[in-house]
Amino acid sequence: MSRSKANTEYRQTIRALSDRLVEAQTPIRVLDAIKWDDNIRQGFLKARGQKLPAVDRAYYQSRPLSFDADEKKQQFQQIERDITRQLGQFSPVGQIMRRMCKEYRMVIRMLEARGTADFGLISQELYGSASDAFHAGDPTLADLGVMFSTYLDNIADRSDLKDEPKTLTASEAVALLQGQLNGVFGDEAVVRVFESDGILADAAAGADYIKIRADALFNPRDIRALAVHEGLVHVGTTLNGQNQPVCTFLAKGPPSSTITQEGLAILMEVIAFASYPTRLRKLTNRTRAIHMAEEGADFLQIFDFYREQGYSAEDGYSNTIRVFRGSTPDGLPFTKDLSYLKGFILIYNYIQLAVRKGRLEQIPLLFCGKATLEDMRTLRQLVDEGLVVPPKYLPPQFSDLNALSAWMCFSNFLNHLSLDRVEADYANIL
């Protein structure tokens, strides 16, 4: 067999296995499987937040999954075995796909455990815990949440940092956001923006669309943040994944890619100057709320925490439900919302090191699809082999690395300074 023919068959084998993996995960919709019905919200608010929501194991059992869990786990097991048989134990692309198969089986086990303690434990395996440290001896995510809250408290009363009023309706936000995304993606990739009644967050991204909650209000800064967070990152990486000719699995992401995705999205908000203290407070509160629940706080205690932060009863409920969806009102939390701050720190550190070591070509690969940090070296190899194509759609901050590299060079140096010593030296001038 000629080398060219063997290479063609190799690529076809990878593509076929990748397509099977994408097809197998299609019916798995985590957030749909763990959401609470609106009657739960109505009952909680009617009781004025004084009674735990009526959600238990039986509640979830009355809402069966949209797939047969045993059959789906066997399907991923079979794909994993075929990957090893057809690509070998040490194939780099095979190792990525096998890990994805294992993750999806774990996701299914988590969904089977809705309403039990195992749900929260498996969630911690997939997304992490607020008590996790970034490195030995470093602060935990919970420490980071408290630290950020302290910084935000120090600037909370400044009149020049007050949020712009939210006067834009959902329909106005749709028009503005659509215009911004058309300017980024052009006519080649049609990214639709439309209103939706069925989402918990203000906005949610799909493969080629962004949904805006119909009853939400926005300000211009919100639109800029949505453009970079949902548009340039979430939609952009999906389109780049769909553009892969061989490794089609990059269009879909397991939980491990969620951390990378949300970290990239928050980093983009920061470097595009689209973030703001209230936004950071929201992310910080999510981390703190999860930590409280891991320490034993129930739904009512987390709800009270949000009310003390100035949230209305409606918004307090909406934020608290994010912690306990899939679980019970007094159970372990769903820890997906740790992905934002956790991902930001991990991505920031990765880019810092890439600049320090002179490996700038690694940075844009973060956008080649729903990638994970642990796969970045392998993805570089797959690009060199022609099995993965570089990202077509890149934010300006990552398509021209000049400014990002300069920033990270300064950042690398500043990390070596003692902030305590600097604070002492500056005491007389600040």
Side-chain angles (χ1 to χ4, degrees), residues 112-185:
E112 287 181 296
R114 292 174 302 169
T116 72
D118 282 346
F119 175 87
L121 294 174
I122 298 173
S123 171
Q124 290 176 338
E125 288 189 57
L126 290 169
Y127 302 102
S129 164
S131 299
D132 292 344
F134 290 99
H135 306 284
D138 280 357
T140 65
L141 274 170
D143 295 331
L144 181 65
V146 173
M147 188 184 305
F148 277 11
S149 293
T150 301
Y151 299 157
L152 292 169
D153 288 342
N154 289 339
I155 60 175
D157 295 329
R158 291 188 60 92
S159 60
D160 53 345
L161 293 181
K162 297 299 182 185
D163 292 346
E164 303 165 66
K166 293 180 182 290
T167 59
L168 299 173
T169 64
S171 59
E172 291 172 326
V174 165
L176 288 170
L177 185 56
Q178 186 72 71
Q180 291 191 26
L181 294 181
N182 288 346
V184 173
F185 293 102

Side-chain angles (χ1 to χ4, degrees), residues 142 245 299 365 380:
F299 194 98
L365 296 184
R380 175 73 260 172

Side-chain angles (χ1 to χ4, degrees), residues 96-129:
I96 293 177
M97 287 193 287
R98 280 202 305 273
R99 193 202 70 243
M100 291 178 69
C101 287
K102 290 182 172 66
E103 271 197 60
Y104 281 125
R105 289 203 303 274
M106 190 179 297
V107 168
I108 295 169
R109 291 199 301 272
M110 180 182 72
L111 295 181
E112 287 181 296
R114 292 174 302 169
T116 72
D118 282 346
F119 175 87
L121 294 174
I122 298 173
S123 171
Q124 290 176 338
E125 288 189 57
L126 290 169
Y127 302 102
S129 164

Side-chain angles (χ1 to χ4, degrees), residues 127-257:
Y127 302 102
S129 164
S131 299
D132 292 344
F134 290 99
H135 306 284
D138 280 357
T140 65
L141 274 170
D143 295 331
L144 181 65
V146 173
M147 188 184 305
F148 277 11
S149 293
T150 301
Y151 299 157
L152 292 169
D153 288 342
N154 289 339
I155 60 175
D157 295 329
R158 291 188 60 92
S159 60
D160 53 345
L161 293 181
K162 297 299 182 185
D163 292 346
E164 303 165 66
K166 293 180 182 290
T167 59
L168 299 173
T169 64
S171 59
E172 291 172 326
V174 165
L176 288 170
L177 185 56
Q178 186 72 71
Q180 291 191 26
L181 294 181
N182 288 346
V184 173
F185 293 102
D187 297 329
E188 299 177 41
V190 179
V191 179
R192 297 174 295 127
V193 185
F194 56 89
E195 295 181 49
S196 173
D197 292 321
I199 57 175
L200 183 62
D202 288 343
D208 60 353
Y209 63 83
I210 297 175
K211 296 187 290 187
I212 300 295
R213 202 179 81 228
D215 62 349
L217 292 174
F218 303 86
N219 60 36
R221 190 180 293 273
D222 294 329
I223 305 304
R224 294 198 298 274
L226 288 174
V228 298
H229 186 117
E230 306 291 350
L232 298 186
V233 176
H234 292 330
V235 175
T237 52
T238 298
L239 294 175
N240 289 331
Q242 291 175 341
N243 193 46
Q244 295 297 332
V246 179
C247 296
T248 55
F249 61 82
L250 285 171
K252 302 294 180 181
S256 58
S257 72

Side-chain angles (χ1 to χ4, degrees), residues 163-367:
D163 292 346
E164 303 165 66
K166 293 180 182 290
T167 59
L168 299 173
T169 64
S171 59
E172 291 172 326
V174 165
L176 288 170
L177 185 56
Q178 186 72 71
Q180 291 191 26
L181 294 181
N182 288 346
V184 173
F185 293 102
D187 297 329
E188 299 177 41
V190 179
V191 179
R192 297 174 295 127
V193 185
F194 56 89
E195 295 181 49
S196 173
D197 292 321
I199 57 175
L200 183 62
D202 288 343
D208 60 353
Y209 63 83
I210 297 175
K211 296 187 290 187
I212 300 295
R213 202 179 81 228
D215 62 349
L217 292 174
F218 303 86
N219 60 36
R221 190 180 293 273
D222 294 329
I223 305 304
R224 294 198 298 274
L226 288 174
V228 298
H229 186 117
E230 306 291 350
L232 298 186
V233 176
H234 292 330
V235 175
T237 52
T238 298
L239 294 175
N240 289 331
Q242 291 175 341
N243 193 46
Q244 295 297 332
V246 179
C247 296
T248 55
F249 61 82
L250 285 171
K252 302 294 180 181
S256 58
S257 72
T258 301
I259 297 170
T260 305
Q261 280 286 297
E262 299 301 353
L264 269 179
I266 298 303
L267 177 64
M268 273 302 304
E269 288 184 32
V270 172
I271 64 179
F273 277 37
S275 193
Y276 50 100
T278 300
R279 169 65 170 159
L280 180 54
R281 175 83 74 178
K282 179 184 293 186
L283 302 178
T284 299
N285 284 340
R286 289 176 183 176
T287 299
R288 294 179 64 188
I290 288 173
H291 183 240
M292 290 170 63
E294 288 181 329
E295 294 293 304
D298 64 17
F299 194 98
L300 297 181
Q301 291 168 308
I302 303 298
F303 176 75
D304 289 342
F305 163 74
Y306 275 107
R307 294 288 279 150
E308 291 166 2
Q309 294 286 317
Y311 288 80
S312 67
E314 284 272 3
D315 289 341
Y317 174 85
S318 296
N319 281 281
T320 305
I321 198 177
R322 296 178 68 103
V323 178
F324 292 97
R325 50 188 170 170
S327 184
T328 57
D330 56 357
L332 287 173
F334 179 52
T335 59
K336 174 182 175 292
D337 278 349
L338 296 176
S339 301
Y340 298 91
L341 293 186
K342 179 179 181 179
F344 171 80
I345 298 298
L346 294 176
I347 293 292
Y348 185 87
N349 286 340
Y350 177 80
I351 295 175
Q352 266 198 325
L353 288 172
V355 171
R356 183 187 300 180
K357 294 179 177 295
R359 296 175 183 170
L360 300 185
E361 71 281 356
Q362 293 281 112
I363 298 174
L365 296 184
L366 290 163
F367 288 86

